[in-house]
Every structure is written in structure tokens, then in C-alpha cells.
Amino acid sequence: MATTTELMTELRAVSSELIELGRVSRLQGWDQETMMPPKGAVGRARQRAAVQGLLHERLTRPRIGEVLDALAEPPRRGELSQIDAAIVREVRREYDLAVKLPNAFVRELTQASAEGVEIWRRAREESRFVDFAPSLEHIVHLKQLEADYLGYADHPYDALLDLYEPGLTVATLTPLFTALRQSTVALLDRLRGSTVTPDRRLLTQDYDLATQWEIGLMLVRAIGFDLDAGRVDRTTHPFATGLGPGDVRLTTRQRRDNLAELVFGNLHEGGHGLYEQGLDPDLDGTIVGQYVSLGVHESQSRLWENFVGRDAPFWQFNLPRLQAAFPAQLAGVTVEQFVLAVNRVEPSLIRVEADEVTYNLHIILRYEIERRLIAREVRTRDLPDLWNELMREYLGLTPPDDRTGVLQDTHWAIGGIGYFPTYTLGNVYAAQLWSAIRRDLPNLDADLAAGQVAPLLDWLRERIHRPGRLYQPVELIERATGSPPDAAHLARYLDEKFSRLYALR
Amino acid sequence: MATTTELMTELRAVSSELIELGRVSRLQGWDQETMMPPKGAVGRARQRAAVQGLLHERLTRPRIGEVLDALAEPPRRGELSQIDAAIVREVRREYDLAVKLPNAFVRELTQASAEGVEIWRRAREESRFVDFAPSLEHIVHLKQLEADYLGYADHPYDALLDLYEPGLTVATLTPLFTALRQSTVALLDRLRGSTVTPDRRLLTQDYDLATQWEIGLMLVRAIGFDLDAGRVDRTTHPFATGLGPGDVRLTTRQRRDNLAELVFGNLHEGGHGLYEQGLDPDLDGTIVGQYVSLGVHESQSRLWENFVGRDAPFWQFNLPRLQAAFPAQLAGVTVEQFVLAVNRVEPSLIRVEADEVTYNLHIILRYEIERRLIAREVRTRDLPDLWNELMREYLGLTPPDDRTGVLQDTHWAIGGIGYFPTYTLGNVYAAQLWSAIRRDLPNLDADLAAGQVAPLLDWLRERIHRPGRLYQPVELIERATGSPPDAAHLARYLDEKFSRLYALR
């Protein structure tokens, strides 16, 4: 009979192999988006499938189930250190997810997603939802099946939410999103009465791309990103990916006619990158030394992009550096003008172009649709009407076509139903962290205005980055802030910030 | 009982997984040299070890041995297609190599090489062979053991040669290298009597790096390398690596004060790249759709670098393009002057800087040492004396220190004993191919002078690139040229070329 130590040694080896193979897979993905020559695509799909297949095969070995079962027995359970207990919990989670899904089902979903994204791409170009509808119907059906395979206590959508944000449920999200929607709609109403009209033209001049790039690197350095432990490259769709705390890769895009694209893209991805670089090196290579959830990850990108990056203190230090790089475009611009320009609130059709206030309404709309789709409360073919109805209700806009409406995002086509809510959850977490940070760091504004991010970064490192998966997301937020997740922080933050910027009351 | 078709399906899946994992490993290696941030090194070592460990574990499954044995039985053997028979042969080769080496031995060799390269690096810096000697002694001992594990009919060094060049033996190499050494020493003697003195100064002016880079890309395109199916990046030590015919990556280096570094580096790596891009797409993903040996690979790089790239026809077309990029440096230079400058023959101490004539003497010297080391005919501690003695005998030079003598190459430190001979074998193969090409393509010079490489490239594609591992190296050369490998082609080619350039007789 194996001892607890022996079993844990075995499980740690399993955990380590999963982590390293996961990083191999992420390197393949990063390279595909940034470096791979066009004719490499067919071969790369095979190479990635080989790694994915191996990961799945290794993860579903019956021996792993036996080791997990043995370690779950009461006498052993109590002998585990905090880290070992977390390793057992996280390997159990991955193992259960993997073994619950039959191989044939996984292949069908992979196939449907691969085809779905191509069909969606063409349908979006033609702006014809009907062309995508059958493919989406098939994907929704598979996701319903997936929820059944995975199991759930209350709502089938819970099973899908849990894939991206462990523990998240409809029962938590619906009241949270309802309250946030109501407060946001009320704030938008009040903003319509403001006489302040931000002028974005200072951002939309001619900005040399090479100079922009240097500014972009300066900004990620300015928030503490270590370019000896990471890099920044160009892609069509920006992302951040971690191959370990010593190798974190950001991607970004830039537009000659809009400086904001690169500046806030870099702050956003830089925020993701800081999380990855801040993971505990002592936990690196174990399943616990990884980011805990998409919602927490997004809280870090949003915190740097919006809470730090769209407020005055940060620009008191950094605007002069932008002005030195772009004197013709920015000379004479005040911090107040700049901050107002990057905070224009205006209901719009496209999620990825939305401002800090209206963004969450785009997410809540998608949540409402996804939840009803999975619960079979709405039919795929009715989506354009439902989309437009909710757009009118939340944002007061009607999309002129499917391209700028229901077809705008790729997530459903790739089977990512349940992913969208983590974006707004990130904002909710970020606002709550921000409240706690302002309480704990009374000199924060002065520090940021002096270019000192270390106190803020240290706060985040200790409470959010280093723990990895030692705690579940909700516990992590509670330990960091002193109270359980609560959307009221976000509502209050938005209300205060935009009341101030728009001179309300 | 499984049918032959079933067994082959199983073996093809094995072969495919080995190929894809091999490509994963090469992507990791390429990324490490070109893109990885410095702090990624520790994590990357773990990621690479995970892939290597998995490759070894997958390759040594007893089931693979059973399938290979079943397919080797006479009734089945005859049913196999040419491709399937080659797949069986090549998987058998990899399987036998893998299972013959105990895991503990592989780990010890990996460890000794990893340490060896660090010790060698420091010893070279200090120019103290004695510091490296114990480490080298251990590595040589392990390579002797490896030869015993792998087995050999005649000479223990045969087992190591076979790792890099299947089928190559001391019995073949010794007479071949002896004849080549004698003819080369004789040619060098005659060249000393020439009154022609090439002027290399036209290459060693100030050449802007960015313009050089564009020229470098122009040159790889000029020899037919497809930049939609590959890329070129910078590294300290140039190499080429293939992730499939659609994704071939070259690396190169450049010096502001020497144009030749980039020009001939790119032609050399470009030649390797053409081989990888020319592999049969229909065989891609099988073990047969890969390059057949290091010697054949080197024949392709040498053919483009030296046989094409250091002769007049290629530069009749391309020198004007260099002159357009660097008018101040190259205006008025004739093709004859340029070709003479890039063909200066002069015995020198450093292998990687050697010219086309003396290069092989550096290799033959290393071969003599390696063979005697593995056969226990010479002791590690005697290497500096032996090295210097052979340098005097072959090249008439005495290294002033270990750094420019016995310590100059990394190969022994990383356990690569048996690798060096493939460099000269590449020259031998290239010369024999060149004879056949000149016979088959009477318009070759005119084509090259007109910038047309297609006839030459098509010849190589059909006879060398596309077959992959369908034939063993010796058979491949014989099928391509009509006669078995013969070093006389190289001796004759060097004699004719340099007699002409140096106006002998």
C-alpha cells in the first residue's frame, strides 16, 4: 500500500506534466498568431491536435483516479499540506472534467467549433445570421449535452460557467447582473443630462507607428511588466499568454489614426501579464501555480487599463512622456483633457469598442441570451430579434445589420458559451479590489503621480498573484478585500468616477 | 489476429505522433534561440525535458516492438507498399535506438552534456583544456558505453556515426578521408605557388545592418526559398529547422564590418531550408517524410553556399543587386573580383571560418581524434598535443592556445561525437551531385546568370528532397547520380575550381 508521500509524489508528477504540456500548447498558440508563416497552418493544426490528444490521454489514465481516490480517504486527507490539498483538488477538477466527456463527444465539439468559426466568419462578412444559424444550433446542442455530461445542481448553464470561473452559478450571477444593469442604465440616463462633451480628437490624429511602439513598451514597463521575463508582439487580436512567471507574452495592435488602441491595449494586456509574472515561483510547475480563473485574470487587466490607466494620477506622470514622443499632436494637452478624452461614454453597437460604463451592458445582454439558449428558453433562429430587443432596452440602439449585431463576436462559434460573463466579473472584482486598495494605500494617487507603481503592484502580488490556485476565486477575493464578492463596488465606482468627470449634480 | 492493414494503421499513428512531438520539440528549440526572454530559460528546460521524456516513453512502449515484429514476418513483409516498408524500417530504427539505451544511462548522458557545455564554455574562455578534460573524459566514457549498448559489427565508432548518418562506418570513411586529405594537401601546396592574391577588403567595409538584412532576404528568395512557408531570424549560432514543408525556419547572423557573414550564412541555411521545404507533402506527418541524414542535409547547404554561391554565374545576376543596395562599397567591382574575394584560400585555425578547400582538413582532424578516442587509442589528456600535431601536419599551423585549438567547438561537450564527419560528407555528396547536375543541365550556368534557379532546384527536389527517407543515404545518392558515393568528385571539383581561380598552370 502506497504511503501518502508516495501518492503525492505521483500526483505531483502528473500535475507537473499537465502544466508543461499546457505550456507547450500555449507556445504553439502564441507562435501561430505571431510568428508562423502562412503555409504552416495545416501542419500546425496537426501538431496542436497531437499535443491536445496527448494531454487528454495522459489526464484520463485510470491510475490518476485511483491516486485521487486514495488521497481523498479521511486519514490521508488530514495529512496533506495546504499546497498538496490544493494540488489534489485541482487535479481532481481537471480529471473529472476530462473523464466525464466521452472522446467521441470531444472530437465532435472540436470539429463543430473548427467548422463553426469558418462559417461564422463568412456569415459575418455577408452579414447574414441565417447562414450561421444551423452551425450555431449544432454548437448550442453540443453545449447542452456537455452541461449534461458535466452535471449541475441547479441550472444547466452553471456547468458551462464553471468551466471558466470555478463555482460561478446562475443563482449568483443573475441578481448581480440585474443590479449592475439597473444602476448602469440609471447612470447613462444621468450622463445624458451632462453638458460636458469629451473631445476624443486629440487621440485620433496621425501617430507614427514606430514611435507608438516605443511608447507601448514604455507603458508596460511603467506598470511594472518585466521585459526580461516577457515580450510584446503584434497580432490582429491582442492576448496575453504565460509560459511561466519568467516567460509571459503579450500581443497588441496599433492604428496610425488612433493612439488609444495601443495605449489601452498595452495597459490591458500588461495587466494580464503582471498576473502571470507575479505567480509564485515556488509553486511554478505545479497545477496550483497557475492563474485561478478568467474572472480574476480579467480583474487584473481591467484594473490597470481602467482603474489606473483611465484616471489622472497615472497620466500626471506619463502624459509628459507621451508628449515628448508626440509633441506635434499632444503639446498643450492637459491631464484633465486627456483623461476626459479617454473616458467618453457613448452607447455603441460593438462590444470591443465600448467604454467603461456601457461595456457591462454588452456582457449582460450576452449572458441573458446564453442562459436562455442553454435552458432551451429561446431558439437559435430568434437570436437576432432577441439581440436587437435587448440592445434597445439596455443601450437604446438598434443594430442596422447582423454584422454589427448578433454576429460580432467569435465566442459562440468556437463553443465558448459561458465565457462572456467573466469579462464583467473581472470588472466587479477589479472594483472591489480597488476599494480595498484605496483603503490600504492612502498615498496611492501621489505614488502613481510620481511614477511609483510598486506599492500597488506589491499589494496585488501578495494578495492576488502569488496565491495562484491555493484558494478558489471567491475565497481569494474575500481574503484580499475582507468581504465576499459584491457588485456594489463597481456600481459605486462608476457612479462616482463619471459623475465627477461629467460634472453631474 | 490483427491484419497487416490494421498493424500498419497502428504503426502509422505511432510514426505520426513521433513526428508531431519532434516538431513540438523543434519549435521549443527555435523559440528558445530566437524569441524567448532571458528569464524563461529555467522554465523552458523543464518544458523541453517534459516533451523529451514523453517522446522517449511513447517510443519505447512494448506494443511498438510487437507491431514491428508482426510486420517483419515474411508473409506480411511482402504485402507492404514501398512507403509502408520504409515506415516500418524507420520506426524500427528509432525504436531499437531508444530501447537499447537504459533510461538511467540516457539521463546520465543528458546530465553530463548539460554540465559539459557549461564547463567547456568556461574552459574556453580561460583557454584551459585541463579544466574541461575531466568532463570530456566522462563524456567519452559514456559515448563508449553508448556504442556498446547500441552494438556494432566492426569498430565502436561505427555505432556513433550511424546515429547521424545511417550506415556510415569507419571502413568507408577512413580511406575516403585519407584520399581527400592527400589531394587537399597537394592542392594547398600548388596554391602556395600562385601569384594570384584575392583581395577580401571589398567585403570588409562598413555595411549597414538593415540594408544587409534586406539583401539577405533577397538572396534566400533568389535561390527559391519560399518566405510564405518559412522565416529568417537572428541568432548567435545560425541554424535551420523544419516544422514541416510549410514552416521552415532559418536563422542567421550579420556583422557590420563583413558582408560575407550574412551572404554566405543565408545561402548555407537557405540550402538547408530548401531541403525541408522540398520534402514530399504527401509523406508529411510520416516518419518517412523527413530528411534522411545530416550528410545529405549538409550537401544541400554546401551546394547552394559554395557550388552555386561562390561561383560567377550566380553573381552575374545577383552582384548588381548587391551593388544597388551598397553603391558606395561595391560600385565598379567586377564579378571576377567578387568571386575571387569570396574564394580566398588560406590555412587558418578556426573551423567555422575556414575556406572551401581547407575546411575538410579541420573535419578530418576531428575524425582522426574522435575515432581514436572511442577506440581507446588516445587519452583525453593527450588531446591538445594530438590536435596541434595534426594541425601542423594538415594545415601547417600551430594554435597559440587551447581556445583557438582543441577547445574551439561545442560538439564534444554536448556529446556529439560522430557528428563532425557529416560536414565533410556533405561536401562529398554535394560535389557528386554537382557533377551529375552539370551533366544533366547543360544550360545551368546561363540559367543561373539569368537568375533562373528553377531547373537546378527541380533537379534537387525530384532526386533528393522529395524522397525523404524512402531510401537510405547511400542509395539516395546512387539513384540521384548513377554511381555510389565517391570522394573523387570533390577532389576533382576543388582542383579544377581553384586551379582556375588561382591561375595555376
Side-chain angles (χ1 to χ4, degrees), chain B residues 53-86:
Chain B
L54 215 43
L55 249 173
H56 188 257
E57 185 188 317
R58 305 290 291 181
L59 177 56
T60 54
R61 278 171 295 169
R63 174 65 189 160
I64 298 180
E66 292 164 21
V67 172
L68 288 168
D69 288 345
L71 285 166
E73 284 160 23
R76 286 218 170 80
R77 207 172 179 158
E79 296 170 31
L80 298 179
S81 69
Q82 185 194 21
I83 291 171
D84 284 345

Side-chain angles (χ1 to χ4, degrees), chain A residues 36-342:
Chain A
M36 188 185 77
K39 291 183 184 171
V42 176
R44 180 58 55 90
R46 261 199 337 252
Q47 291 158 33
R48 296 189 75 172
V51 172
Q52 287 304 319
L54 214 44
L55 248 173
H56 188 257
E57 185 188 317
R58 305 290 292 181
L59 177 56
T60 54
R61 279 170 296 169
R63 174 66 189 161
I64 298 180
E66 292 164 21
V67 172
L68 288 168
D69 288 346
L71 285 165
E73 284 160 24
R76 287 218 169 79
R77 205 170 182 159
E79 299 170 28
L80 298 179
S81 69
Q82 184 194 22
I83 291 171
D84 284 345
I87 290 175
V88 170
R89 184 190 66 224
E90 294 298 321
V91 176
R92 165 62 76 185
R93 175 179 153 84
E94 301 266 332
Y95 175 78
D96 285 350
L97 288 175
V99 297
K100 281 176 179 171
L101 301 178
N103 287 346
F105 171 79
V106 172
R107 271 197 302 276
E108 192 178 353
L109 183 58
T110 306
Q111 178 80 8
S113 309
E115 290 169 9
V117 73
E118 289 311 315
I119 293 168
W120 164 77
R121 210 185 303 275
R122 283 196 300 274
R124 189 178 63 157
E125 270 169 29
E126 306 285 325
S127 197
R128 284 168 53 91
F129 178 78
V130 289
D131 295 351
F132 177 53
S135 176
L136 179 58
E137 179 135 350
H138 183 49
I139 289 167
V140 168
H141 170 69
L142 292 173
K143 297 301 281 188
Q144 288 163 339
L145 264 178
E146 188 175 11
D148 290 340
Y149 283 129
L150 296 176
Y152 50 87
D154 191 9
H155 195 288
Y157 188 57
D158 291 350
L160 305 182
L161 288 171
D162 182 78
L163 290 174
Y164 304 104
E165 192 71 20
L168 190 64
T169 61
V170 167
T172 313
L173 262 188
T174 299
L176 189 151
F177 277 5
T178 303
L180 183 59
R181 174 170 58 78
Q182 289 165 347
S183 65
T184 304
V185 169
L187 175 58
L188 280 176
D189 265 346
R190 293 175 56 227
L191 289 173
R192 279 192 200 93
S194 170
T195 55
V196 176
T197 46
D199 185 356
R200 278 181 70 86
R201 279 174 303 178
L202 65 94
L203 300 166
T204 57
Q205 304 174 70
D206 184 31
Y207 285 98
D208 171 67
L209 293 176
T211 313
Q212 272 197 47
W213 194 258
E214 291 307 311
I215 285 294
L217 294 179
M218 180 278 281
L219 287 172
V220 297
R221 262 192 234 103
I223 63 172
F225 187 78
D226 179 357
L227 283 167
D228 283 336
R231 45 182 296 132
V232 188
D233 296 275
R234 289 170 183 81
T235 50
T236 314
H237 301 287
F239 63 91
T241 194
L243 310 179
D247 189 351
V248 178
R249 302 183 180 198
L250 317 180
T251 76
T252 188
R253 60 183 169 196
Q254 51 181 176
R255 289 179 54 164
R256 210 182 158 94
D257 62 357
N258 190 343
L259 182 62
E261 181 91 33
L262 178 95
V263 164
F264 293 97
N266 276 26
L267 292 175
H268 181 95
E269 302 307 334
H272 281 306
L274 289 174
Y275 186 8
E276 293 285 335
Q277 287 188 340
L279 291 163
D280 188 348
D282 291 341
L283 295 177
D284 186 36
T286 77
I287 198 165
V288 177
Q290 299 185 99
Y291 75 87
V292 68
S293 75
L294 289 186
V296 172
H297 225 312
E298 193 73 5
S299 78
Q300 300 307 291
S301 58
R302 297 297 179 154
L303 192 140
W304 291 96
E305 176 195 358
N306 290 333
F307 293 73
V308 175
R310 293 188 202 266
D311 207 356
F314 181 76
W315 291 109
Q316 278 160 25
F317 184 79
N318 288 293
L319 181 59
R321 303 165 88 187
L322 253 61
Q323 289 171 319
F326 293 112
Q329 295 87 339
L330 294 175
V333 171
T334 65
V335 168
E336 289 64 34
Q337 288 168 328
F338 188 83
V339 169
L340 199 57
V342 303

